[in-house]
Structures are given as structure tokens and as C-alpha cells.
Amino acid sequence: AQKITQTQPGMFVQEKEAVTLDCTYDTSDPSYGLFWYKQPSSGEMIFLIYQGSYDQQNATEGRYSLNFQKARKSANLVISASQLGDSAMYFCAMREGRDSNYQLIWGAGTKLIIKP
Amino acid sequence: SAVISQKPSRDICQRGTSLTIQCQVDSQVTMMFWYRQQPGQSLTLIATANQGSEATYESGFVIDKFPISRPNLTFSTLTVSNMSPEDSSIYLCSVYLAGNYNEQFFGPGTRLTVL
């Protein structure tokens, strides 16, 4: 079964609009962390934001925020006031606390294109 | 944080040959990971390379095809052996650093094209 599901293969958004990228996850481990990474066309992976399973508040980092709904097992990334430079692939990933190798489980990604 | 460099940044190779990719980290790290990312796909973990022990390979990846060295805490190599066009991918090394978010830091990747 898919542990990380990103249902939007691609999205087109008008510049300056807010964007929500969906991510649902599946785990029985009570301790886990959720990560979002950005991959521009140049190929590097850029860490954006992290949410721990025990965190009481939704994570925020500048224009990025994470809409964490634990009961629904969703961790959607919200980008406010989108910019042309936000055009990239976005990956959601999870680390389970029981994994002593600290491996990440990756979603399929969402390709975001910001239109001027 | 960690700064990671990879060499080469890209290469075009003939089938049947081998390529060794180098990964250098600016700090000492225990855990290093090698990923493959085929065109338009997500990341697939090839192996975990911990210093002082043999690399641990994921299902579908074998040491004969992807030998890994980890001679010290700041360096690792991945060799793609007997290449075929199906090996055309981006190869990424990453490291785990305990810190605020315990995130993985990534190198810039090696874009490999096999003809």
C-alpha cells in the first residue's frame, strides 16, 4: 500500500495566488515526521518544511505552511502569494520513528507551474 | 546544515561501461543515502551507506550493479556498472543530520545519460 500519496500530478496556478499541494500518508507508528521538498528543474532537492506527529501547531516557514490534519492523515503544503520561482516539483515525504535508518518514504510528487 | 558536492554533475556514457559518482560532505556524517530518480519520477532509494559497515541495498538493487564505498565520514562513491539506457537517471546522494528537523540534505545530483 502507498504510504505517501500525492494525488495531483500537475497544477497550474496564477502568479500571486495561494497554492495547496495535497499529501496523505499512512502509518501505524505514532511517532513520525513529515517533510516537504522542492525540486526545481536544475535537479537539487530543497528542504521546505517539517511537521512532527506530536507537534501541536501547524508548521510555518515564510510563505510555506503545512495544513496538518492528523485524524485525516493529511499534510498539505500551502504556498501563499505564489511566485514564478515556485515553479518546480514538490515532494512530500515521511520518516517513521521506528526506522532506525532514518529513511524517508517519498510521494510521487506534484509538478507546479506558476503562470504569469 | 550540510553542504554536499557531487562529481560529475552530468555525464553521457556508452552502454556497457561504468561510471563512479563521488559525494563529498563538508561535515562528518554517519548516514549517507544514494538515490536514483528516473525521468519524471520520484526518488528511489538505492542503498544506505554507513561508515564502517557494508552498504545496505534496497530491494531491486544489488552490489554488483551499484557498488558503494564509504571510506570515511565525509565521502562516498557510487558506481553504476555495466550501464544500459535504463540507467539514465539523476543520481542523488544525501545525508542525515540530527538537528532541528532531522531532515536529509541533498547533493546537487549527477545527471547520467546512457546511449
Side-chain angles (χ1 to χ4, degrees), chain A residues 35 37 39-47 50 60-61 89 91 95 100-104 106-109, chain B residues 31 33 35 37 40-43 45 48 50 56 58 90 92 96 100-108 111:
Chain A
F35 302 80
Y37 282 84
Q39 188 180 39
S41 58
S42 53
E44 77 268 32
M45 295 290 287
I46 303 167
F47 166 71
Y50 167 83
T60 60
E61 290 285 350
M89 284 290 291
F91 292 96
R95 175 183 299 127
S100 59
N101 283 326
Y102 302 98
Q103 293 179 1
L104 289 176
W106 295 86
Chain B
M31 290 189 170
F33 306 93
Y35 288 93
Q37 186 179 26
Q41 303 292 313
S42 185
L43 280 69
L45 183 64
T48 301
N50 293 340
T56 302
E58 297 299 304
I90 299 175
L92 294 147
Y96 165 78
N100 282 345
Y101 304 125
N102 296 332
E103 71 266 36
Q104 284 187 14
F105 295 90
F106 284 81
R111 290 179 183 267

Short mmCIF file of all heavy atoms in Angstrom, two decimals, chain A residues 35 37 39-47 50 60-61 89 91 95 100-104 106-109, chain B residues 31 33 35 37 40-43 45 48 50 56 58 90 92 96 100-108 111:
data_model
loop_
_atom_site.label_atom_id
_atom_site.label_comp_id
_atom_site.label_asym_id
_atom_site.label_seq_id
_atom_site.Cartn_x
_atom_site.Cartn_y
_atom_site.Cartn_z
N PHE A 35 7.80 15.73 5.74
CA PHE A 35 8.69 16.70 5.11
C PHE A 35 8.15 17.09 3.74
O PHE A 35 7.55 16.26 3.05
CB PHE A 35 10.09 16.09 4.89
CG PHE A 35 10.76 15.61 6.15
CD1 PHE A 35 10.44 14.37 6.70
CD2 PHE A 35 11.74 16.36 6.76
CE1 PHE A 35 11.06 13.92 7.85
CE2 PHE A 35 12.38 15.92 7.90
CZ PHE A 35 12.03 14.69 8.44
N TYR A 37 9.75 18.79 0.19
CA TYR A 37 10.93 19.22 -0.55
C TYR A 37 10.50 19.80 -1.89
O TYR A 37 9.51 19.37 -2.49
CB TYR A 37 11.87 18.04 -0.82
CG TYR A 37 12.71 17.61 0.36
CD1 TYR A 37 12.19 16.74 1.32
CD2 TYR A 37 14.02 18.05 0.51
CE1 TYR A 37 12.97 16.33 2.40
CE2 TYR A 37 14.80 17.65 1.59
CZ TYR A 37 14.26 16.79 2.52
OH TYR A 37 15.03 16.39 3.58
N GLN A 39 11.94 20.60 -5.81
CA GLN A 39 12.97 20.25 -6.77
C GLN A 39 12.78 21.08 -8.04
O GLN A 39 11.95 20.76 -8.89
CB GLN A 39 12.95 18.76 -7.11
CG GLN A 39 14.14 18.33 -7.97
CD GLN A 39 14.12 16.86 -8.31
OE1 GLN A 39 13.07 16.27 -8.57
NE2 GLN A 39 15.29 16.23 -8.31
N PRO A 40 13.54 22.15 -8.18
CA PRO A 40 13.47 22.94 -9.42
C PRO A 40 14.02 22.13 -10.59
O PRO A 40 14.55 21.02 -10.41
CB PRO A 40 14.37 24.15 -9.12
CG PRO A 40 14.64 24.12 -7.66
CD PRO A 40 14.49 22.70 -7.21
N SER A 41 13.92 22.69 -11.78
CA SER A 41 14.38 21.98 -12.98
C SER A 41 15.87 21.70 -12.94
O SER A 41 16.35 20.80 -13.64
CB SER A 41 14.02 22.78 -14.23
OG SER A 41 14.59 24.07 -14.16
N SER A 42 16.61 22.43 -12.14
CA SER A 42 18.05 22.19 -12.01
C SER A 42 18.35 20.87 -11.29
O SER A 42 19.46 20.35 -11.40
CB SER A 42 18.70 23.34 -11.25
OG SER A 42 18.03 23.55 -10.01
N GLY A 43 17.39 20.34 -10.56
CA GLY A 43 17.55 19.00 -10.01
C GLY A 43 17.84 18.90 -8.52
O GLY A 43 17.67 17.83 -7.94
N GLU A 44 18.28 19.98 -7.90
CA GLU A 44 18.61 19.85 -6.47
C GLU A 44 17.34 19.73 -5.65
O GLU A 44 16.29 20.22 -6.02
CB GLU A 44 19.46 21.02 -5.98
CG GLU A 44 18.72 22.31 -5.75
CD GLU A 44 18.71 23.21 -6.95
OE1 GLU A 44 18.72 22.69 -8.09
OE2 GLU A 44 18.70 24.44 -6.76
N MET A 45 17.44 19.06 -4.52
CA MET A 45 16.31 18.90 -3.60
C MET A 45 16.47 19.91 -2.48
O MET A 45 17.47 19.91 -1.77
CB MET A 45 16.30 17.48 -3.02
CG MET A 45 16.07 16.40 -4.04
SD MET A 45 14.39 16.40 -4.67
CE MET A 45 13.50 15.77 -3.26
N ILE A 46 15.44 20.73 -2.30
CA ILE A 46 15.48 21.80 -1.31
C ILE A 46 14.46 21.50 -0.23
O ILE A 46 13.25 21.39 -0.52
CB ILE A 46 15.18 23.16 -1.97
CG1 ILE A 46 16.18 23.42 -3.10
CG2 ILE A 46 15.23 24.28 -0.93
CD1 ILE A 46 15.80 24.58 -3.99
N PHE A 47 14.90 21.40 1.01
CA PHE A 47 14.00 21.18 2.12
C PHE A 47 13.19 22.44 2.38
O PHE A 47 13.72 23.54 2.44
CB PHE A 47 14.81 20.81 3.37
CG PHE A 47 14.03 20.88 4.65
CD1 PHE A 47 13.06 19.93 4.93
CD2 PHE A 47 14.25 21.88 5.57
CE1 PHE A 47 12.33 19.98 6.11
CE2 PHE A 47 13.55 21.95 6.75
CZ PHE A 47 12.57 21.00 7.01
N TYR A 50 8.85 21.07 7.83
CA TYR A 50 8.74 19.81 8.57
C TYR A 50 7.60 19.89 9.58
O TYR A 50 7.37 20.95 10.20
CB TYR A 50 10.05 19.54 9.32
CG TYR A 50 9.97 18.44 10.35
CD1 TYR A 50 10.09 17.12 9.97
CD2 TYR A 50 9.76 18.74 11.71
CE1 TYR A 50 10.02 16.10 10.92
CE2 TYR A 50 9.69 17.74 12.65
CZ TYR A 50 9.83 16.42 12.25
OH TYR A 50 9.76 15.41 13.17
N THR A 60 5.12 26.48 10.02
CA THR A 60 5.19 27.57 9.05
C THR A 60 6.65 27.94 8.83
O THR A 60 7.45 27.92 9.77
CB THR A 60 4.42 28.82 9.53
OG1 THR A 60 5.00 29.27 10.75
CG2 THR A 60 2.95 28.53 9.74
N GLU A 61 6.98 28.28 7.59
CA GLU A 61 8.32 28.75 7.22
C GLU A 61 8.15 29.78 6.12
O GLU A 61 8.02 29.44 4.95
CB GLU A 61 9.20 27.60 6.72
CG GLU A 61 9.63 26.59 7.73
CD GLU A 61 10.72 27.09 8.66
OE1 GLU A 61 11.29 28.17 8.39
OE2 GLU A 61 11.03 26.40 9.65
N MET A 89 8.97 20.78 -9.04
CA MET A 89 8.35 19.58 -8.49
C MET A 89 8.37 19.69 -6.98
O MET A 89 9.34 20.16 -6.39
CB MET A 89 9.13 18.33 -8.91
CG MET A 89 8.90 17.88 -10.33
SD MET A 89 7.26 17.22 -10.62
CE MET A 89 7.33 15.70 -9.68
N PHE A 91 7.75 17.40 -3.47
CA PHE A 91 7.64 16.05 -2.93
C PHE A 91 7.31 16.09 -1.45
O PHE A 91 7.92 16.84 -0.68
CB PHE A 91 8.95 15.28 -3.13
CG PHE A 91 9.27 14.97 -4.56
CD1 PHE A 91 10.12 15.79 -5.28
CD2 PHE A 91 8.71 13.88 -5.18
CE1 PHE A 91 10.43 15.52 -6.60
CE2 PHE A 91 9.01 13.59 -6.51
CZ PHE A 91 9.87 14.42 -7.22
N ARG A 95 9.10 10.13 7.52
CA ARG A 95 10.02 9.26 8.25
C ARG A 95 9.26 8.70 9.43
O ARG A 95 8.68 9.44 10.22
CB ARG A 95 11.25 9.99 8.73
CG ARG A 95 12.15 9.11 9.60
CD ARG A 95 13.34 9.86 10.15
NE ARG A 95 14.18 10.36 9.08
CZ ARG A 95 14.55 11.64 8.97
NH1 ARG A 95 14.17 12.53 9.86
NH2 ARG A 95 15.32 12.01 7.98
N SER A 100 15.16 2.92 12.31
CA SER A 100 16.43 3.36 12.88
C SER A 100 17.42 3.82 11.82
O SER A 100 18.45 4.38 12.15
CB SER A 100 17.05 2.21 13.69
OG SER A 100 17.26 1.09 12.85
N ASN A 101 17.11 3.58 10.55
CA ASN A 101 17.97 4.04 9.47
C ASN A 101 17.59 5.43 8.97
O ASN A 101 18.22 5.92 8.04
CB ASN A 101 17.93 3.06 8.30
CG ASN A 101 18.76 1.81 8.56
OD1 ASN A 101 19.80 1.88 9.21
ND2 ASN A 101 18.30 0.68 8.08
N TYR A 102 16.56 6.02 9.56
CA TYR A 102 16.17 7.39 9.23
C TYR A 102 15.85 7.56 7.74
O TYR A 102 16.07 8.62 7.17
CB TYR A 102 17.27 8.38 9.63
CG TYR A 102 17.58 8.32 11.11
CD1 TYR A 102 18.67 7.59 11.57
CD2 TYR A 102 16.79 8.97 12.03
CE1 TYR A 102 18.95 7.51 12.93
CE2 TYR A 102 17.07 8.90 13.39
CZ TYR A 102 18.15 8.16 13.82
OH TYR A 102 18.42 8.09 15.16
N GLN A 103 15.30 6.51 7.15
CA GLN A 103 14.98 6.60 5.73
C GLN A 103 13.70 7.40 5.54
O GLN A 103 12.81 7.42 6.39
CB GLN A 103 14.81 5.20 5.14
CG GLN A 103 16.10 4.41 5.10
CD GLN A 103 15.91 3.03 4.53
OE1 GLN A 103 14.81 2.65 4.15
NE2 GLN A 103 16.97 2.26 4.47
N LEU A 104 13.60 8.04 4.39
CA LEU A 104 12.40 8.77 4.02
C LEU A 104 11.59 7.95 3.02
O LEU A 104 12.14 7.30 2.14
CB LEU A 104 12.77 10.11 3.39
CG LEU A 104 13.35 11.17 4.34
CD1 LEU A 104 13.76 12.41 3.56
CD2 LEU A 104 12.35 11.53 5.42
N TRP A 106 8.87 8.42 0.09
CA TRP A 106 8.56 9.55 -0.78
C TRP A 106 7.23 9.38 -1.51
O TRP A 106 6.85 8.27 -1.90
CB TRP A 106 9.67 9.70 -1.83
CG TRP A 106 10.98 10.07 -1.23
CD1 TRP A 106 11.92 9.21 -0.73
CD2 TRP A 106 11.49 11.39 -1.02
NE1 TRP A 106 12.99 9.92 -0.23
CE2 TRP A 106 12.75 11.25 -0.39
CE3 TRP A 106 11.01 12.67 -1.29
CZ2 TRP A 106 13.54 12.35 -0.04
CZ3 TRP A 106 11.79 13.76 -0.95
CH2 TRP A 106 13.03 13.60 -0.33
N GLY A 107 6.56 10.51 -1.72
CA GLY A 107 5.41 10.53 -2.60
C GLY A 107 5.86 10.68 -4.05
O GLY A 107 7.04 10.88 -4.33
N ALA A 108 4.90 10.59 -4.95
CA ALA A 108 5.20 10.64 -6.38
C ALA A 108 5.51 12.04 -6.88
O ALA A 108 6.09 12.21 -7.95
CB ALA A 108 4.03 10.06 -7.17
N GLY A 109 5.12 13.03 -6.10
CA GLY A 109 5.42 14.41 -6.47
C GLY A 109 4.29 15.10 -7.21
O GLY A 109 3.42 14.46 -7.81
N MET B 31 25.29 8.69 8.48
CA MET B 31 24.40 8.08 7.50
C MET B 31 24.40 8.84 6.19
O MET B 31 24.18 10.04 6.15
CB MET B 31 22.98 8.03 8.05
CG MET B 31 22.84 7.04 9.18
SD MET B 31 21.14 6.82 9.63
CE MET B 31 21.30 5.42 10.73
N PHE B 33 22.94 8.41 2.05
CA PHE B 33 22.00 7.68 1.22
C PHE B 33 22.27 7.96 -0.25
O PHE B 33 22.62 9.09 -0.62
CB PHE B 33 20.56 8.11 1.54
CG PHE B 33 20.19 8.01 3.00
CD1 PHE B 33 20.34 9.10 3.84
CD2 PHE B 33 19.70 6.83 3.53
CE1 PHE B 33 20.01 9.02 5.18
CE2 PHE B 33 19.36 6.74 4.87
CZ PHE B 33 19.52 7.83 5.69
N TYR B 35 20.31 7.80 -3.94
CA TYR B 35 19.01 7.69 -4.57
C TYR B 35 19.17 7.69 -6.09
O TYR B 35 20.11 8.28 -6.64
CB TYR B 35 18.13 8.90 -4.22
CG TYR B 35 17.60 8.96 -2.82
CD1 TYR B 35 18.29 9.64 -1.82
CD2 TYR B 35 16.38 8.38 -2.49
CE1 TYR B 35 17.79 9.73 -0.54
CE2 TYR B 35 15.86 8.47 -1.20
CZ TYR B 35 16.58 9.15 -0.24
OH TYR B 35 16.08 9.24 1.03
N GLN B 37 16.71 8.80 -9.43
CA GLN B 37 15.48 9.45 -9.84
C GLN B 37 15.38 9.37 -11.34
O GLN B 37 16.06 10.11 -12.08
CB GLN B 37 15.43 10.91 -9.38
CG GLN B 37 14.10 11.58 -9.65
CD GLN B 37 14.04 13.01 -9.19
OE1 GLN B 37 15.05 13.69 -9.10
NE2 GLN B 37 12.84 13.50 -8.89
N GLY B 40 11.06 12.14 -14.66
CA GLY B 40 9.66 12.36 -14.31
C GLY B 40 9.16 11.56 -13.12
O GLY B 40 7.95 11.55 -12.85
N GLN B 41 10.06 10.90 -12.41
CA GLN B 41 9.66 10.03 -11.31
C GLN B 41 10.09 10.59 -9.96
O GLN B 41 10.80 11.59 -9.89
CB GLN B 41 10.27 8.64 -11.50
CG GLN B 41 9.93 7.97 -12.81
CD GLN B 41 8.47 7.60 -12.91
OE1 GLN B 41 7.89 7.04 -11.98
NE2 GLN B 41 7.86 7.92 -14.04
N SER B 42 9.64 9.91 -8.93
CA SER B 42 10.06 10.26 -7.58
C SER B 42 11.43 9.64 -7.27
O SER B 42 12.04 8.99 -8.12
CB SER B 42 9.02 9.77 -6.58
OG SER B 42 9.34 10.19 -5.27
N LEU B 43 11.88 9.85 -6.07
CA LEU B 43 13.17 9.31 -5.66
C LEU B 43 13.02 7.86 -5.23
O LEU B 43 12.06 7.51 -4.52
CB LEU B 43 13.73 10.12 -4.49
CG LEU B 43 14.41 11.44 -4.82
CD1 LEU B 43 13.42 12.48 -5.29
CD2 LEU B 43 15.19 11.95 -3.62
N LEU B 45 15.29 4.92 -3.28
CA LEU B 45 16.50 4.69 -2.50
C LEU B 45 17.24 3.48 -3.05
O LEU B 45 16.65 2.39 -3.18
CB LEU B 45 16.15 4.47 -1.03
CG LEU B 45 17.32 4.28 -0.07
CD1 LEU B 45 18.18 5.53 0.00
CD2 LEU B 45 16.81 3.91 1.32
N THR B 48 21.75 2.54 1.67
CA THR B 48 22.20 3.35 2.79
C THR B 48 23.65 2.97 3.06
O THR B 48 23.97 1.78 3.19
CB THR B 48 21.35 3.07 4.03
OG1 THR B 48 19.99 3.37 3.74
CG2 THR B 48 21.81 3.93 5.20
N ASN B 50 26.61 3.50 5.60
CA ASN B 50 27.12 3.97 6.89
C ASN B 50 28.60 3.67 6.97
O ASN B 50 29.04 2.58 6.58
CB ASN B 50 26.38 3.28 8.04
CG ASN B 50 24.93 3.69 8.09
OD1 ASN B 50 24.54 4.72 7.55
ND2 ASN B 50 24.11 2.88 8.74
N THR B 56 23.80 -1.05 2.81
CA THR B 56 22.56 -1.83 2.83
C THR B 56 21.74 -1.46 1.61
O THR B 56 21.34 -0.30 1.47
CB THR B 56 21.76 -1.54 4.10
OG1 THR B 56 22.57 -1.84 5.25
CG2 THR B 56 20.49 -2.39 4.14
N GLU B 58 18.53 -1.65 -1.10
CA GLU B 58 17.09 -1.82 -1.14
C GLU B 58 16.73 -2.89 -2.17
O GLU B 58 17.55 -3.25 -3.03
CB GLU B 58 16.41 -0.51 -1.50
CG GLU B 58 16.64 0.59 -0.46
CD GLU B 58 16.11 0.21 0.91
OE1 GLU B 58 14.90 -0.10 1.02
OE2 GLU B 58 16.91 0.25 1.88
N ILE B 90 18.87 10.72 -12.72
CA ILE B 90 19.63 11.57 -11.81
C ILE B 90 19.97 10.73 -10.59
O ILE B 90 19.10 10.04 -10.04
CB ILE B 90 18.82 12.81 -11.37
CG1 ILE B 90 18.46 13.68 -12.57
CG2 ILE B 90 19.60 13.63 -10.34
CD1 ILE B 90 17.56 14.86 -12.22
N LEU B 92 21.38 10.94 -6.78
CA LEU B 92 21.50 11.91 -5.71
C LEU B 92 22.07 11.26 -4.47
O LEU B 92 21.65 10.16 -4.09
CB LEU B 92 20.12 12.49 -5.35
CG LEU B 92 19.43 13.32 -6.43
CD1 LEU B 92 17.93 13.17 -6.36
CD2 LEU B 92 19.81 14.78 -6.25
N TYR B 96 21.89 12.34 6.46
CA TYR B 96 21.01 12.63 7.59
C TYR B 96 21.83 13.34 8.66
O TYR B 96 22.90 12.87 9.04
CB TYR B 96 20.43 11.34 8.15
CG TYR B 96 19.80 11.52 9.52
CD1 TYR B 96 18.54 12.09 9.65
CD2 TYR B 96 20.49 11.15 10.67
CE1 TYR B 96 17.97 12.26 10.89
CE2 TYR B 96 19.92 11.33 11.92
CZ TYR B 96 18.67 11.89 12.03
OH TYR B 96 18.12 12.07 13.25
N ASN B 100 17.41 20.39 14.18
CA ASN B 100 16.07 20.90 14.44
C ASN B 100 14.98 20.00 13.85
O ASN B 100 14.03 19.64 14.52
CB ASN B 100 15.91 22.30 13.84
CG ASN B 100 16.56 23.35 14.72
OD1 ASN B 100 16.86 23.08 15.87
ND2 ASN B 100 16.77 24.52 14.19
N TYR B 101 15.15 19.67 12.58
CA TYR B 101 14.12 18.92 11.88
C TYR B 101 14.58 17.53 11.46
O TYR B 101 13.81 16.77 10.92
CB TYR B 101 13.66 19.69 10.64
CG TYR B 101 13.16 21.08 10.96
CD1 TYR B 101 13.71 22.20 10.32
CD2 TYR B 101 12.17 21.29 11.90
CE1 TYR B 101 13.26 23.46 10.61
CE2 TYR B 101 11.71 22.56 12.20
CZ TYR B 101 12.25 23.63 11.55
OH TYR B 101 11.82 24.89 11.84
N ASN B 102 15.83 17.23 11.72
CA ASN B 102 16.36 15.91 11.33
C ASN B 102 16.12 15.61 9.85
O ASN B 102 15.79 14.49 9.48
CB ASN B 102 15.72 14.79 12.18
CG ASN B 102 16.08 14.93 13.64
OD1 ASN B 102 17.13 15.45 13.99
ND2 ASN B 102 15.21 14.46 14.51
N GLU B 103 16.24 16.66 9.04
CA GLU B 103 15.97 16.44 7.62
C GLU B 103 17.19 15.85 6.93
O GLU B 103 18.28 15.82 7.47
CB GLU B 103 15.58 17.75 6.92
CG GLU B 103 16.70 18.76 6.75
CD GLU B 103 16.76 19.77 7.88
OE1 GLU B 103 16.49 19.37 9.05
OE2 GLU B 103 17.10 20.93 7.62
N GLN B 104 16.95 15.39 5.72
CA GLN B 104 18.04 14.94 4.87
C GLN B 104 18.47 16.11 3.98
O GLN B 104 17.64 16.84 3.45
CB GLN B 104 17.61 13.76 4.00
CG GLN B 104 17.52 12.44 4.74
CD GLN B 104 17.25 11.26 3.82
OE1 GLN B 104 17.38 11.35 2.60
NE2 GLN B 104 16.87 10.14 4.42
N PHE B 105 19.79 16.26 3.84
CA PHE B 105 20.34 17.25 2.94
C PHE B 105 20.83 16.54 1.69
O PHE B 105 21.40 15.44 1.78
CB PHE B 105 21.50 17.99 3.61
CG PHE B 105 21.08 18.81 4.79
CD1 PHE B 105 21.07 18.25 6.06
CD2 PHE B 105 20.66 20.11 4.63
CE1 PHE B 105 20.67 18.99 7.16
CE2 PHE B 105 20.26 20.87 5.73
CZ PHE B 105 20.26 20.30 7.00
N PHE B 106 20.63 17.19 0.55
CA PHE B 106 20.93 16.55 -0.71
C PHE B 106 22.06 17.25 -1.46
O PHE B 106 22.20 18.47 -1.39
CB PHE B 106 19.69 16.55 -1.61
CG PHE B 106 18.67 15.54 -1.21
CD1 PHE B 106 17.78 15.80 -0.17
CD2 PHE B 106 18.60 14.31 -1.85
CE1 PHE B 106 16.84 14.86 0.21
CE2 PHE B 106 17.66 13.37 -1.47
CZ PHE B 106 16.78 13.64 -0.44
N GLY B 107 22.80 16.44 -2.19
CA GLY B 107 23.73 16.98 -3.15
C GLY B 107 23.00 17.46 -4.38
O GLY B 107 21.81 17.22 -4.54
N PRO B 108 23.72 18.11 -5.29
CA PRO B 108 23.09 18.68 -6.48
C PRO B 108 22.70 17.64 -7.52
O PRO B 108 21.98 17.96 -8.47
CB PRO B 108 24.16 19.62 -7.04
CG PRO B 108 25.44 19.05 -6.55
CD PRO B 108 25.14 18.46 -5.20
N ARG B 111 23.49 13.92 -13.35
CA ARG B 111 22.59 13.55 -14.45
C ARG B 111 23.33 12.62 -15.39
O ARG B 111 24.30 13.02 -16.02
CB ARG B 111 22.13 14.79 -15.22
CG ARG B 111 21.17 15.67 -14.45
CD ARG B 111 20.78 16.88 -15.26
NE ARG B 111 19.91 17.77 -14.51
CZ ARG B 111 18.58 17.73 -14.54
NH1 ARG B 111 17.99 16.84 -15.30
NH2 ARG B 111 17.86 18.58 -13.83
#
